[in-house]
Amino acid sequence: KREVEVDEDPAEVKTEGDGEPKKEVKKKTKTVVEKYWDWELTNETQPIWLRTPKEVSTEEYNEFYKKTFNEYLDPLASSHFTTEGEVEFRSILYVPATKKEDITDRKTKNIRLYVKRVFISDDFDGELFPRYLSFVKGVVDSNDLPLNVSREILQESRIVRIMRKRLVRKAFDMILGISCSENRDDYEAFWENYGKFLKLGCMEDKENHKRIAPLLRFFSSQSNEELISLDEYVESMKPEQKAIYYIAGDSLSSAKNAPFLEKLNEMGYEVLLLIDPMDEVSLTNLNSYKDKSFVDISKEDLDLGMHVNIRTLFLNILLLLTELNFENRSCGAYSILM
């Protein structure tokens, strides 16, 4: 509020012509109310995905994740990146610690799409990620999409196809990082929650088989009930072994006691034990790994008898020659047999 001067009413002003001397009149004032708008910026912080990764702490990433997606546990992993070039966008992706039960649910609302920092929708998961990666959560902010983007535009957009490829690649890098953790329990927790999703990827995404295969885990005849990777299996293969052997069973116990295992155990060959219905389908779709084909040892056409007989014959001859103290002949026989 403030006081302002008000002009006198002309009818009340007396002049010298009225016969009376002019009196000095004080100007009247009155109080008026004036409104002023004073804008104050209450939030000066940038959206977290617009900041550089070096500026953001792990605690800030976790706090943003919990608030945005209404989670109570810290994520297993996160990835913050910017893509520039023919397509420009920023993103933060997370692998949740909580299990996603429904592998077929496409409407997860796990990806929040922004265009030029304006929130557009969280209903476009299927356009930005394949179904088997629907457990991944995050935000994607594009500078190239229109603000009036729709599902039809996303499905036909070349920009979205490029974005999808790069998002999928970053998601795999994030999962691979968990698998390479020094703490083996980290990936075991991930596999317990999302192993079925990656197996589904073997069936639905042939283009990314090379990225999915190293992330798969299986029981084996030599792993003492611990899950192993295909890389670990290949590293422990015998020099003469040409294939990756497996057998399917209803349970770990039944697979370990399968009669087909006996010959391979004698030869020291490791066998993958597939106890989940999706395991065998996954390997069938992969077909091979690092030039090693997958072979079901329960098939009738599996021929291991000759290898066993030769090995047994070789050991018997060596034993006989040793007993007869024919060392030179033993070496010669060894050379011939090899």
Side-chain angles (χ1 to χ4, degrees):
K1 296 180 180 180
R2 68 186 182 91
E3 292 185 346
V4 296
E5 294 182 349
V6 181
D7 292 337
E8 292 179 303
D9 187 344
E12 296 181 358
V13 178
K14 295 183 179 180
T15 63
E16 295 180 358
D18 294 334
E20 294 183 7
K22 183 177 179 181
K23 296 180 180 179
E24 184 178 350
V25 180
K26 293 183 179 180
K27 289 190 175 182
K28 296 181 180 180
T29 62
K30 69 175 182 178
T31 302
V32 296
V33 178
E34 295 182 347
K35 292 183 179 180
Y36 296 91
W37 296 102
D38 188 11
W39 297 99
E40 180 181 355
L41 183 62
T42 58
N43 184 8
E44 297 183 4
T45 59
Q46 286 183 311
I48 189 172
W49 61 86
L50 295 182
R51 297 160 60 187
T52 60
K54 292 181 180 180
E55 297 175 350
V56 186
S57 66
T58 301
E59 290 73 19
E60 288 178 295
Y61 282 127
N62 293 347
E63 188 65 23
F64 174 75
Y65 166 76
K66 291 176 181 178
K67 287 184 177 179
T68 304
F69 299 103
N70 195 27
E71 293 281 357
Y72 61 94
L73 293 177
D74 290 339
L76 293 177
S78 63
S79 177
H80 182 187
F81 59 94
T82 300
T83 299
E84 297 177 342
E86 56 181 334
V87 173
E88 183 177 338
F89 68 92
R90 296 171 181 265
S91 179
I92 301 179
L93 302 178
Y94 295 94
V95 174
T98 51
K99 186 175 183 179
K100 181 178 182 293
E101 297 291 344
D102 190 356
I103 194 172
T104 62
D105 184 12
R106 291 179 179 269
K107 297 181 179 180
T108 60
K109 296 185 180 294
N110 282 346
I111 301 298
R112 296 174 61 85
L113 176 64
Y114 291 76
V115 174
K116 299 179 178 67
R117 294 165 294 286
V118 177
F119 175 66
I120 302 301
S121 177
D122 56 6
D123 287 329
F124 296 144
D125 301 43
E127 283 68 37
L128 295 173
F129 278 94
R131 178 171 62 154
Y132 69 91
L133 289 177
S134 61
F135 60 87
V136 175
K137 297 187 177 185
V139 296
V140 178
D141 189 352
S142 170
N143 283 339
D144 301 307
L145 292 173
L147 288 171
N148 62 339
V149 65
S150 64
R151 177 165 277 105
E152 289 71 23
I153 292 176
L154 290 179
Q155 290 173 344
E156 299 174 0
S157 172
R158 173 179 169 273
I159 294 173
V160 172
R161 288 195 294 271
I162 296 173
M163 289 174 62
R164 179 183 171 110
K165 283 186 177 181
R166 295 183 181 176
L167 287 168
V168 168
R169 193 178 306 161
K170 288 294 184 179
F172 276 123
D173 290 344
M174 185 168 49
I175 298 170
L176 184 62
I178 304 175
S179 72
C180 295
S181 171
E182 294 181 359
N183 185 357
R184 196 178 180 97
D185 293 341
D186 291 343
Y187 196 72
E188 288 182 1
F190 169 84
W191 184 256
E192 176 68 23
N193 290 343
Y194 306 115
K196 289 183 181 294
F197 288 81
L198 295 186
K199 294 173 189 177
L200 179 64
C202 293
M203 307 173 204
E204 296 187 346
D205 191 358
K206 185 176 181 180
E207 183 180 345
N208 281 303
H209 275 180
K210 289 185 178 180
R211 291 189 173 94
I212 299 172
L215 301 173
L216 300 176
R217 296 293 184 269
F218 304 96
F219 291 105
S220 90
S221 58
Q222 299 179 6
S223 64
N224 296 323
E225 300 189 4
E226 289 185 0
L227 294 166
I228 67 167
S229 66
L230 292 176
D231 283 322
E232 290 172 320
Y233 181 98
V234 171
E235 288 173 5
S236 64
M237 287 175 63
K238 300 288 184 181
E240 72 277 7
Q241 188 176 341
K242 304 300 181 184
I244 298 174
Y245 297 115
Y246 72 86
I247 187 169
D250 296 331
S251 66
L252 189 58
S253 176
S254 64
K256 280 190 171 183
N257 293 317
F260 303 101
L261 273 177
E262 185 177 352
K263 287 183 179 180
L264 284 98
N265 285 337
E266 289 178 1
M267 298 171 65
Y269 288 168
E270 188 171 18
V271 179
L272 297 178
L273 309 178
L274 312 185
I275 61 174
D276 184 275
M278 296 180 71
D279 286 344
E280 187 171 8
V281 182
S282 301
L283 294 188
T284 302
N285 278 273
L286 289 178
N287 192 38
S288 65
Y289 184 70
K290 292 188 174 180
D291 298 325
K292 306 288 185 182
S293 59
F294 295 105
V295 174
D296 183 355
I297 66 171
S298 66
K299 299 298 183 183
E300 294 181 359
D301 57 351
L302 181 67
D303 185 13
L304 294 174
M306 182 175 294
H307 298 289
V308 175
N309 291 337
I310 291 176
R311 183 173 181 271
T312 303
L313 178 63
F314 169 69
L315 292 175
N316 289 338
I317 291 175
L318 276 184
L319 179 61
L320 177 62
L321 293 177
T322 301
E323 291 176 352
L324 295 175
N325 293 321
F326 290 152
E327 295 180 1
N328 293 334
R329 293 184 181 180
S330 176
C331 294
Y334 178 85
S335 300
I336 293 172
L337 287 170
M338 294 302 291

